[in-house]
Amino acid sequence: MELKRLYHNKISRQILCSDAAMLDASFYARNNILIIAEELLGKILVTRFENKLTAARITETEAYNGIVDKASHAYNGRRTNRTEIMYKPGGTAYVYLCYGIHHLFDVVTNVQNVPHAILIRAAEPVYGIETMLKRTGKTTLDNSLTKGPGNVSKALGITTKHTAASLNGKEIYIIDDNFQTYKESIIASPRIGVDYAAEDALLPYRFYIKGNPFVSGKNNLK
DNA sequence: CTGACGATTCACT
DNA sequence: GTGAATCGTCAGC
């Protein structure tokens, strides 16, 4: 099996800052969250905070399917100060604190009042690696830099203060640089850490690029 | 107001 | 494989 190692894939600043490449509202507003979660693989998540540009190609996502999904914060229509962000229109950032330590970044999808969200679980650095290393306190680049949702946010500088931010703004956005993610290299599997969700824990709502070293867990080769 | 806990990570055995 | 870290959120009183 061919291993997709994008490790050395660097992207120019010009492309990362191109408005034309930015995913727009129509991408996020769609109804089928599984399609969007799959299509986000291979897209590039870009952040620019205090003029520090960092970017990573998405390698792993998880869909949280709104009010019918027992794994979702918005299950059964739950509305709180925190989850209210999930009810915003597609193309909004939903960031929350997990275990008091980790800031997890989600992409809100669908239309207003339909609380769909896609967790970005892993990505492969393509720009601003020095900045990412500084943010994470690491000295060398390896897959731990952006493998796992807490690590992605940390490397890209995303925190809970960015929740509700538009993904069509200047600070956080996702671009399509026409990178080809081949269907046969995409795996769907159950989501991680959602045992509490009863039968919904078994749904194949996690998507990742087969064999990519920037994917959480150990068993990403099959 | 209080207590329980989490869409995790990392160090250690 | 096990356990600690660490705090905002949320249900319940």
Side-chain angles (χ1 to χ4, degrees):
Chain A
M1 272 302 166
E2 178 198 359
L3 296 188
K4 281 238 168 286
R5 293 184 188 280
L6 314 177
Y7 195 84
H8 300 293
N9 186 5
K10 302 287 178 57
I11 306 295
S12 77
R13 184 177 185 100
Q14 185 178 21
I15 292 174
L16 294 175
C17 296
S18 157
D19 282 346
M22 188 187 294
L23 298 180
D24 62 18
S26 65
F27 179 91
Y28 300 111
R30 289 176 292 165
N31 178 58
N32 191 327
I33 190 175
L34 301 180
I35 299 283
I36 304 175
E38 196 169 331
E39 287 184 3
L40 280 175
L41 295 176
K43 303 293 190 290
I44 301 178
L45 175 59
V46 183
T47 64
R48 183 167 39 191
F49 302 126
E50 295 167 344
N51 215 31
K52 294 259 186 283
L53 186 68
T54 50
R57 194 180 301 282
I58 296 167
T59 54
E60 180 181 358
T61 61
E62 275 181 2
Y64 287 84
N65 190 32
I67 65 174
V68 299
D69 182 355
K70 290 181 179 174
S72 170
H73 292 164
Y75 173 60
N76 204 23
R78 193 161 174 248
R79 276 184 184 265
T80 66
N81 281 340
R82 180 180 67 159
T83 65
E84 192 61 29
I85 308 306
M86 301 177 79
Y87 293 80
K88 286 182 171 290
T92 302
Y94 170 52
V95 189
Y96 72 96
L97 190 64
C98 190
Y99 293 96
I101 305 171
H102 308 292
H103 300 252
L104 305 206
F105 169 75
D106 288 47
V107 172
V108 174
T109 67
N110 215 307
V111 296
Q112 185 164 8
N113 291 323
V114 180
H116 287 187
I118 298 170
L119 174 66
I120 306 301
R121 286 194 58 87
E124 177 163 350
V126 293
Y127 196 94
I129 289 169
E130 289 304 314
T131 300
M132 297 191 204
L133 292 173
K134 192 173 291 184
R135 284 175 179 149
T136 55
K138 295 176 185 292
T139 51
T140 56
L141 170 61
D142 60 37
N143 62 11
S144 73
L145 184 63
T146 48
K147 168 175 155 167
N151 292 330
V152 170
S153 298
K154 193 169 185 182
L156 291 175
I158 299 171
T159 71
T160 53
K161 74 182 180 188
H162 301 115
T163 196
S166 169
L167 297 181
N168 292 290
K170 297 282 187 204
E171 289 201 316
I172 310 176
Y173 54 92
I174 299 174
I175 70 161
D176 179 1
D177 69 336
N178 294 315
F179 178 83
Q180 285 274 355
T181 303
Y182 297 100
K183 198 86 173 172
E184 59 270 23
S185 68
I186 294 175
I187 305 288
S189 81
R191 294 167 290 186
I192 305 295
V194 296
D195 293 345
Y196 59 86
E199 71 275 12
D200 288 350
L202 300 175
L203 295 170
Y205 285 1
R206 171 179 178 239
F207 300 92
Y208 62 88
I209 297 178
K210 178 167 56 179
N212 189 290
F214 292 86
V215 170
S216 67
K218 308 173 189 176
N219 198 20
N220 67 329
L221 296 182
K222 78 176 186 61

